[in-house]
Each structure stands twice: as structure tokens, then as C-alpha cells.
Amino acid sequence: MSLDAAILKALRSSPSRGVSGADLSQQLGVSRAAVWARMEELRQLGYDISASPHFGYKLVSVPDVLHADDLLSRLDGKQVIGRDIHVFQSTTSTNDIVEKMARDGAREGVVVFAETQTQGRGRLGRKWVSPPKRGLWFSILLKPDLRPQSSTQITVGAAVALTRAIQARTSIVVETKWPNDLLIDGRKVAGILTELRAEPDKIKYLILGIGIDVNVRPEEFPEEIRHLATSLRAVTGHQVHRADLAEAVLRELDQVYRDICREDFTGVAQEWEQNCSTIGREVTVTFGEHTIHGIAESLDFDGALLVRSQHGHLERILGGEIHVLPKPGRSKGSPRP
Ligand code: BTN
């Protein structure tokens, strides 16, 4: 752990009493002058750290910036997801950065955030708009011991983790739409892009790309999707602290990933079904020229969606574009594509 991360962890562990420079210097094995210099650097980044002879240093407030050391200092150091964190001010797509890290042999669990992406992408080749400092745009490298056809377990698990974290930090109950959309009142607030390299029977590595529209303002969405998209700020009416949300998201993702790796996908799938806007609803599923129309019944062990077609067949859906049809007698906007 870096010195900044260790300092922030020590300050967080003693919010009311504060920590003296002497204690910090002893705990961290550096001089008091080195501690003081790091405090000055953190203050430059916007961390409000008070200092008094009586209480020592106290963390008063943290800025709304993403700082790898800060994020690391919030986690317990035992997690897989977030064992290594990088923050870029700008990238093409965080999935591309993680792909390169994977090819260079990085360990699973590394997380790459960007304050903005110039070529953020979504499913089905769509563009993902990532305005600077308004959202959480990040990707995670995973190496689950799963067959490629079970990779949807990870997408579904990520949706469960995001749902928990958003509810814990904002009290908003989001709905999930299979496989990768999080919606509030029918408008998309977050999306998940799972990309993988695999051998016929085994995933070599998987890149879990997540975009959450945290503080995006309506006018920052492209006009053509403005009526389909929303942000946590637009719904709550106030700024949401991105680092606090990122911490909650990483913790929940780690928890769900452990469950999936322990082959406990059933519990994850049950939780997903409780929050989803897809199960029990009339849907159309389109793959290229092909369309299936039916009722979404449940998830199977791979995370595939089981749809009872109008002809009575149970179809196993692993991809494609899903449209959830409005309930009879109720009109609802469709989500961000
Ligand atoms: C979708 O809803 O279609 C998926 C959107 C995924 C967007 C995220 S933002 C971080 C990561 N980098 C990308 O280029 N895409 C994902």
C-alpha cells in the first residue's frame, strides 16, 4: 500500500480522535516531515485535513475526485476486486486499457477508472458517453473458472452488486433489465459491458466494463437518448459522492464475485430476479434478422434468460437486444439503448 493510502486509512480509522504526526510516523515507518509533506500533497488534491497540537490530523472531508490511493485505503486489502486500482484522467475506453493489462499478464482484480473516456462503448457496438468527472466509468479484469457460455453469470452478478451499492448510497431502488441495464423509472442509469477471451471450454480472462451515470446532467446526454437516460443526481436532486459510491460498488462486486466463484450463482440469480423488470413480462428478443416474442420466465444456471415463446417453446437467450413490452394499460419510456 502506498504512503498516501496508508495515511488515509489511518485517518479514516480514527475519525473523531484524530491521529498525531508522531503516531503516524511510527505506524508507517517514515519521518514526521514525510507525513507532513504527504498531508500537504493530499490537501492540494482537495482533501480537507485539519491539524491541531491536541488532536493531531483529522480527515474533515474528501473531494469528489477519483484517487487510486483513496479508493485503495477504503478497502480491507483482502479483496480480489480492487487489489490494484488505477485512475486515468482520460482514456479511449477503460476496457481497452484492461485488455492490454490482461495481455501483459496482469492479475485478476485490477480495476481501471477513467474520469472521462473518448471512445467509451456499450453493447452491440453502441457509443457510451462519459462526460468528465460526472460518472463512474471503469473496468475490471477477472479470470473466473467458468465456461464461456456462463459469462452471463458475471454480468448478472455485476447488476446485483450495482443495485445493492446504489440502494445503500442513495436509497434509490433500481430495476435491472436482462442482461446489462440498470433502470430508474424505465430510464437507463447504468450499463455493463462484458468482453472476454476464451478457449472453447474455459474463459482465459473477462473484462467487466461498468458505466454509472452518477452526476451527469440531462443536457450532457446526446439529444437522441436524453429521454431514455437518467443519472443518480437527476433522480435524487443532489450531487452523489462518486468515491463513496465507488467504494460500495467495489465491495459488493467483490462479494458477489466470491459467491459466483464458490459456485453459488443460485442466490445471486434469486436476488437479481427480485429487482428485475424482465421476468414475468412480455418481451421481444432480436438477434440480427431473427426475433422471438414471448414471456421471460427465469434465469438458468448460466445466467441465460429463459423465454417461453408464443409457440410454447422454452428459448434460452444468451445475447441480442431485449425489449420489455409495456404492461397492458400502462405506457412507459424505453431505456437508454
Ligand atoms: C451498455 O449498457 O451497453 C454497456 C455500457 C458500458 C459502459 C462502460 S464505461 C466503462 C467501460 N468502458 C467502456 O468503453 N465501456 C464500459
Side-chain angles (χ1 to χ4, degrees):
M1 188 181 286
S2 73
L3 188 51
D4 283 6
I7 288 176
L8 288 168
K9 200 176 207 40
L11 293 178
R12 281 210 170 84
S13 68
S14 188
S16 40
R17 281 200 3 253
V19 196
S20 73
D23 283 352
L24 279 172
S25 123
Q26 199 190 17
Q27 259 179 49
L28 308 177
V30 295
S31 67
R32 287 178 70 170
V35 169
W36 180 85
R38 293 321 305 160
M39 294 293 180
E40 283 306 300
E41 283 292 325
L42 287 167
R43 286 183 180 126
Q44 292 295 320
L45 289 171
Y47 289 81
D48 186 355
I49 299 170
S50 67
S52 78
H54 191 60
F55 292 111
Y57 294 108
K58 266 195 206 177
L59 186 59
V60 180
S61 70
V62 297
D64 188 30
V65 292
L66 297 177
H67 179 26
D69 287 327
D70 182 3
L71 294 170
L72 280 167
S73 76
R74 295 163 179 259
L75 303 173
D76 66 8
K78 296 192 195 111
Q79 74 288 349
V80 172
I81 292 184
R83 53 158 57 129
D84 190 12
I85 298 180
H86 301 261
V87 176
F88 288 75
Q89 288 311 303
S90 176
T91 58
T92 49
S93 154
T94 52
N95 271 36
D96 293 343
I97 303 288
V98 170
E99 164 87 50
K100 183 167 182 322
M101 289 177 165
R103 278 193 264 111
D104 292 345
R107 277 199 308 173
E108 75 164 340
V110 57
V111 186
V112 172
F113 287 88
E115 287 289 17
T116 185
Q117 301 180 110
T118 53
Q119 289 169 39
R121 59 177 179 270
R123 270 181 87 232
L124 309 170
R126 290 181 178 131
K127 186 173 154 61
W128 183 267
V129 178
S130 326
K133 300 197 161 85
R134 296 283 201 240
L136 291 176
W137 329 122
F138 64 106
S139 305
I140 306 169
L141 176 62
L142 298 173
K143 300 186 180 174
D145 185 13
L146 289 177
R147 297 166 306 138
Q149 56 269 45
S150 299
S151 63
T152 312
Q153 288 190 3
I154 304 286
T155 313
V156 166
V160 166
L162 295 186
T163 304
R164 287 187 196 162
I166 291 174
Q167 186 159 0
R169 289 292 170 184
T170 65
S171 305
I172 297 173
V173 179
V174 294
E175 279 187 338
T176 46
K177 179 183 155 227
W178 190 90
N180 70 323
D181 291 348
L182 270 76
L183 312 176
I184 303 173
D185 291 334
R187 290 177 173 219
K188 184 154 168 171
V189 71
I192 302 161
L193 175 67
T194 305
E195 296 179 323
L196 52 108
R197 290 280 169 275
E199 288 157 2
D201 264 344
K202 190 174 166 16
I203 292 176
K204 275 173 78 176
Y205 59 83
L206 178 149
I207 300 163
L208 182 65
I210 296 178
I212 311 177
D213 291 320
V214 183
N215 294 317
V216 182
R217 290 155 202 264
E219 63 278 12
E220 290 171 320
F221 289 115
E223 211 174 323
E224 61 281 10
I225 62 163
R226 215 165 275 168
H227 61 298
L228 307 175
T230 192
S231 70
L232 299 176
R233 181 182 187 277
V235 176
T236 57
H238 58 76
Q239 189 90 357
V240 174
H241 196 278
R242 290 176 310 139
D244 287 350
L245 180 63
E247 171 190 347
V249 167
L250 294 178
R251 283 181 194 279
E252 296 295 352
L253 282 169
D254 189 60
Q255 186 60 55
V256 171
Y257 185 57
R258 280 169 198 270
D259 290 344
I260 292 174
C261 291
R262 277 202 313 265
E263 299 186 16
D264 184 14
F265 179 64
T266 317
V268 176
Q270 278 167 357
E271 190 171 337
W272 183 89
E273 288 187 8
Q274 279 162 19
N275 296 312
C276 88
S277 64
T278 317
I279 303 295
R281 298 284 298 272
E282 200 178 342
V283 295
T284 56
V285 190
T286 314
F287 331 78
E289 310 272 277
H290 192 65
T291 300
I292 292 174
H293 185 111
I295 305 289
E297 286 197 348
S298 59
L299 291 186
D300 77 357
F301 49 87
D302 280 330
L305 187 66
L306 300 177
V307 174
R308 179 76 58 188
S309 78
Q310 68 218 91
H311 310 295
H313 303 301
L314 197 58
E315 305 274 357
R316 203 167 166 264
I317 311 295
L318 273 162
E321 168 97 88
I322 301 263
H323 283 287
V324 181
L325 303 182
K327 286 182 183 158
R330 186 171 163 223
S331 76
K332 202 175 182 186
S334 25
R336 179 174 174 169

